[in-house]
Amino acid sequence: MQLYSTNNQDNIVDLKEAVLQSLPKDKGLYMPTHIPKLSNEFFENIEDYSFADIAFEVAKSLIGDYIEVGALRGIIDRAINFPAPVVMHDEAVGTLELFHGPSLAFKDFGARFMAELISHFIKREEKHVTILVATSGDTGGAVAAGFYNTPGIEVIILYPKGKVSDLQEKQLTTLGNNITALEIEGTFDDCQAIVKEAFLDPQLTEKYNLSSANSINIARLIPQSFYYFEAYKQIKKRGKKTVFSVPSGNFGNLTAGLLAKKMGLPIDHFIAATNINNIVPKYLETGIYKPKPSVATISNAMDVGSPSNFTRLLALYDNDYEALKSDVSGFYISDHVDKIVMKDIYDQYSYVADPHGAIGYAAIKEFQKKNDDYIGIYLETAHPAKFLDVVNDVLPVKAKVPARLQAVADKEKVAHLLKPEFKGVKDWLMKR
Ligand SMILES: *Cc1c(COP(=O)(O)O)cnc(C)c1O
């Protein structure tokens, strides 16, 4: 498998380099040079495949013989070992639940696959890799769980003090062993800036083999395409046109869906659903892309003012705005409406949706006003118990906290408190 940088088509690397390097030096994003189509036979017989079988077929067609098939099958079986069920609310609307992994968010798919892949790449070299990652909430938990106890890999997570939920913080700070949490007395942007500077620092890169696990890493994108195929398998027998609605922030999830479509998945339309951080819906409406500072909302995993995967979205469509627009519609709502929608879903279907998924649902309802011949599937990107404050405030019932989240909540936090300055973080890293 070969990948090019979106800033320079001639900058071509193999999968190992793309994964370990994360970002090309020219600051573009890695994309596959060739996007294969899966066979008609695969789609005709997809009901006979397990989720892991599907993931293996998709990965094999993308990665080719770059990883030996037996090893690839092992990577898939260990990474994709929890389900992605479609739960229909009625004949026309359903949700794809992506929260059945260890950290209860869809980011588990990306994090686990990436951990397996890096582990595979470094195994023979006895190399040691340090993953440095900034999180505003869900990424840290998924990366911590995904890389926990992976030999040869150490993870250092920077998170903004007081700006992630209690449960999210516990997911980052209670595992220990090869997972270290740095609590930064600043904002997410400070954490992000420190990480970026660390990657450019000669002394740090000399001491550590640094790699990044944020959503621009191609190893996170690839496995996120698997569950679109898995969802299709579950709704195929209904024989209707389908729209997927994707609650979005950095747009990795939506890009993965469009990648699946490019690989031949028969999905008719997608919706880019956001909160008031509506850069991409506005772009789809006007053709003008205008990043702006992010605004805090109750769907905080989507509070992104400059979506990092936007370049990839465009690259999939050869920068053709009209072509992108014919496959993807934009939609956005305020917190006020989001709460009403969460309540509406509960009242109608007795289903507890989280504040991110509810935006996806609202988008489908709007879309179906003009397109009543479609089945709509919205992605439940995280378990509602991860957003207890909002859910318990809006709904007449309390969200059930799954046992594995409760277990984490009861453990003791261990984090190193540091100032939001690169120098202090660097000193700390150099002294270890
Ligand atoms: C990360 C996240 C999103 C946004 O996903 P992108 O791929 O960045 O668009 C949406 N919902 C939840 C719960 C998340 O954790």
Side-chain angles (χ1 to χ4, degrees):
M1 180 181 194
Q2 295 206 303
L3 301 106
Y4 70 94
S5 162
T6 52
N7 275 353
N8 176 4
Q9 304 259 349
D10 298 328
N11 181 358
I12 293 191
V13 298
D14 65 9
L15 182 63
K16 179 178 170 184
E17 189 174 346
V19 172
L20 291 178
Q21 203 187 67
S22 201
L23 203 65
K25 293 213 174 59
D26 64 21
K27 306 257 169 66
L29 294 177
Y30 285 123
M31 282 294 276
T33 49
H34 169 65
I35 296 175
K37 277 224 173 1
L38 286 140
S39 68
N40 290 337
E41 201 197 334
F42 170 70
F43 290 112
E44 274 158 26
N45 299 317
I46 196 164
E47 287 99 329
D48 301 336
Y49 289 70
S50 70
F51 185 15
D53 293 340
I54 289 175
F56 176 63
E57 289 300 323
V58 176
K60 195 173 61 176
S61 78
L62 270 170
I63 294 172
D65 54 11
Y66 185 74
I67 297 176
E68 182 268 314
V69 287
L72 184 60
R73 183 73 213 203
I75 289 171
I76 294 287
D77 286 345
R78 288 184 298 274
I80 312 299
N81 64 351
F82 53 94
V86 171
V87 175
M88 294 303 292
H89 294 326
D90 57 28
E91 285 301 307
V93 186
T95 179
L96 171 60
E97 293 185 345
L98 298 175
F99 53 68
H100 295 280
S103 83
L104 303 113
F106 79 89
K107 292 184 176 76
D108 285 326
F109 289 99
R112 291 175 69 80
F113 184 78
M114 183 177 172
E116 288 293 338
L117 213 52
I118 293 188
S119 178
H120 171 80
F121 288 145
I122 64 174
K123 205 157 45 196
R124 279 191 201 89
E125 304 169 22
E126 296 190 358
K127 220 171 153 176
H128 199 93
V129 170
T130 300
I131 305 277
L132 201 58
V133 65
T135 184
S136 56
D138 276 351
T139 297
V143 169
F147 287 81
Y148 183 54
N149 279 345
T150 306
I153 309 181
E154 176 193 37
V155 177
I156 298 171
I157 302 171
L158 283 74
Y159 73 96
K161 180 180 164 68
K163 299 203 171 57
V164 304
S165 79
D166 290 349
L167 283 172
Q168 283 174 332
E169 181 175 42
K170 286 292 178 81
Q171 289 185 316
L172 317 175
T173 57
T174 58
L175 284 174
N177 209 352
N178 64 329
I179 312 292
T180 303
L182 301 184
E183 181 176 16
I184 304 294
E185 292 178 288
T187 63
F188 168 66
D189 292 336
D190 294 328
C191 298
Q192 183 114 297
I194 293 168
V195 168
K196 279 199 179 139
E197 213 172 325
F199 278 98
L200 300 173
D201 187 89
Q203 280 169 306
L204 281 178
T205 48
E206 159 97 48
K207 172 165 176 176
Y208 293 99
N209 219 330
L210 289 182
S211 194
S212 156
N214 71 18
S215 79
I216 44 139
N217 196 301
I218 192 74
R220 283 187 50 185
L221 194 75
I222 292 170
Q224 286 174 195
S225 67
F226 302 160
Y227 45 72
Y228 289 92
F229 291 86
E230 169 68 8
Y232 169 75
K233 171 181 96 179
Q234 296 172 64
I235 54 173
K236 181 186 161 195
K237 58 178 178 296
R238 295 172 184 261
K240 279 199 161 180
K241 285 202 276 191
T242 310
V243 56
F244 273 100
S245 175
V246 188
S248 295
N250 270 320
F251 286 81
N253 215 355
L254 178 65
T255 304
L258 294 169
L259 175 66
K261 182 170 165 64
K262 232 183 165 176
M263 294 178 78
L265 185 68
I267 297 302
D268 302 277
H269 202 72
F270 285 84
I271 307 176
T274 72
N275 55 35
I276 49 164
N277 294 287
N278 56 6
I279 320 300
V280 172
K282 282 283 177 201
Y283 167 76
L284 290 164
E285 208 174 291
T286 61
I288 299 164
Y289 182 68
K290 217 162 91 186
K292 51 187 183 193
S294 64
V295 178
T297 73
I298 57 168
S299 49
N300 59 24
M302 312 194 324
D303 295 347
V304 179
S306 178
S308 54
N309 280 294
F310 182 70
T311 318
R312 279 200 173 114
L313 270 185
L314 287 183
L316 274 179
Y317 286 85
D318 291 327
N319 292 300
D320 181 342
Y321 168 70
E322 292 300 331
L324 175 63
K325 220 173 101 161
S326 74
D327 281 358
V328 184
S329 304
F331 177 86
Y332 62 92
I333 51 175
S334 65
D335 278 359
H336 175 71
V337 178
D338 194 4
K339 289 181 185 172
I340 293 172
V341 174
M342 286 169 67
K343 178 109 187 358
D344 193 38
I345 297 172
Y346 182 75
D347 289 344
Q348 280 196 65
Y349 314 114
S350 305
Y351 188 83
V352 179
D354 91 290
H356 305 78
I359 296 180
Y361 171 85
I364 286 191
K365 283 302 191 188
E366 181 68 24
F367 180 83
Q368 286 177 332
K369 281 187 190 158
K370 290 195 188 123
N371 303 276
D372 62 2
D373 52 337
Y374 276 74
I375 287 192
I377 303 294
Y378 67 96
L379 276 51
E380 250 299 63
T381 46
H383 193 287
K386 292 193 89 170
F387 305 93
L388 269 188
D389 293 354
V390 183
V391 173
N392 290 350
D393 175 44
V394 173
L395 301 186
V397 288
K398 299 237 175 300
K400 285 198 192 76
V401 180
R404 60 193 184 287
L405 194 57
Q406 192 57 51
V408 167
D410 296 339
K411 285 203 214 155
E412 199 185 331
K413 158 185 163 183
V414 180
H416 305 272
L417 189 64
L418 291 170
K419 296 232 150 29
E421 288 151 11
F422 173 66
K423 194 179 169 304
V425 173
K426 177 178 170 180
D427 288 347
W428 189 87
L429 286 167
M430 290 308 292
K431 271 198 224 110
R432 297 173 79 224

